[in-house]
Amino acid sequence: MKMQRDFLEQFMKPQCVGPPTHLPEAAAGLPLEAAEVLLLQPGPGPARPWRGRTAAVACLAATQRLFARLLPGKIAEGACDEICQLPSERAQLGILQFMELAQRCGLAAEKVCSPVEVLDEMLKSRLSACCVLLESYVGVLEEAGEEVEQDVGFHCLLIVGGDLLGPTYVTFDPWGPAAGEISLWQDHALKSAKPVAYVQLTVPQA
């Protein structure tokens, strides 16, 4: 956990000098607890301004919130809320449509072959996240103490960290009554939801 705090401090305290501090070889990006704080803690606006929006918009808004909190003063905290005010997009987007939407939201977007590529970028202390476009997502709700599955179909998840051994991903999921939760996804579970594209999201270079 200390190594992961050092990793976060590279963005929270950019005035520090010296070589970058890398995470242990297997761990990359945000741990679960840090992701919950940075993504779900309320800001100046609503706690979950993406509530009621498509999964794609929710993931892009969450990315802007994350980047704004890791780079205070460089990205406006309200950027997340502004994304959620954009005109509605249809729920299912192709890869090119999603990347165009990401760019309109002020993010740099690049297609990658696997989330592991983005975890590798995180290991190099490069601020990034990975949005996964899924074809066959199945949501789980709890009703009367029992878990009930619901076929959702097209959906988006946002990977903000993980463990290269496995691999396992720290994931923001905008689906469900809470309109956002952080959980761990195993690689086999991600693949069972039939990912159709992985998109690396970063801060555009000046």
Side-chain angles (χ1 to χ4, degrees):
M1 183 64 72
K2 179 182 182 301
M3 294 292 286
Q4 290 172 316
R5 284 199 301 268
D6 292 341
F7 172 78
L8 292 176
E9 286 178 358
Q10 294 175 109
F11 303 104
M12 302 298 287
K13 300 179 180 178
Q15 71 274 15
C16 295
V17 296
T21 303
H22 293 288
L23 295 171
E25 183 178 355
L30 299 179
L32 191 73
E33 297 82 0
E36 289 177 342
V37 172
L38 290 169
L39 286 167
L40 301 182
Q41 179 175 297
R48 290 167 173 77
W50 50 75
R51 184 184 295 274
R53 301 304 306 270
T54 65
V57 169
C59 286
L60 293 172
T63 302
Q64 277 288 32
R65 171 177 281 183
L66 173 64
F67 290 176
R69 292 177 174 180
L70 290 176
L71 296 173
K74 294 186 178 181
I75 299 176
E77 174 80 16
C80 169
D81 296 343
E82 291 174 5
I83 289 174
C84 297
Q85 300 302 318
L86 291 174
S88 298
E89 295 281 340
R90 61 192 184 95
Q92 184 166 345
L93 298 176
I95 176 62
L96 294 179
Q97 294 169 314
F98 178 83
M99 293 176 67
E100 289 172 358
L101 178 61
Q103 291 165 4
R104 294 206 306 272
C105 293
L107 297 165
E110 179 183 357
K111 185 178 179 181
V112 294
C113 295
S114 165
V116 172
E117 293 184 40
V118 183
L119 295 185
D120 284 338
E121 290 295 297
M122 295 175 187
L123 282 176
K124 299 172 185 174
S125 303
R126 295 172 182 167
L127 188 58
S128 58
C130 180
C131 194
V132 185
L133 279 61
L134 302 171
E135 187 176 59
S136 299
Y137 175 88
V138 177
V140 178
L141 294 173
E142 186 170 320
E143 296 181 0
E146 296 184 359
E147 291 187 344
V148 179
E149 292 186 348
Q150 181 174 335
D151 290 329
V152 177
F154 182 85
H155 190 56
C156 297
L157 300 175
L158 185 69
I159 294 173
V160 297
D163 190 326
L164 290 166
L165 299 179
T168 303
Y169 306 111
V170 178
T171 304
F172 165 76
D173 183 353
W175 188 82
E181 65 176 18
I182 308 297
S183 60
L184 293 175
W185 277 61
Q186 300 289 338
D187 187 61
H188 67 83
L190 192 68
K191 290 177 179 176
S192 69
K194 297 183 180 179
V196 294
Y198 305 103
V199 180
Q200 179 177 348
L201 301 171
T202 56
V203 177
Q205 295 184 352

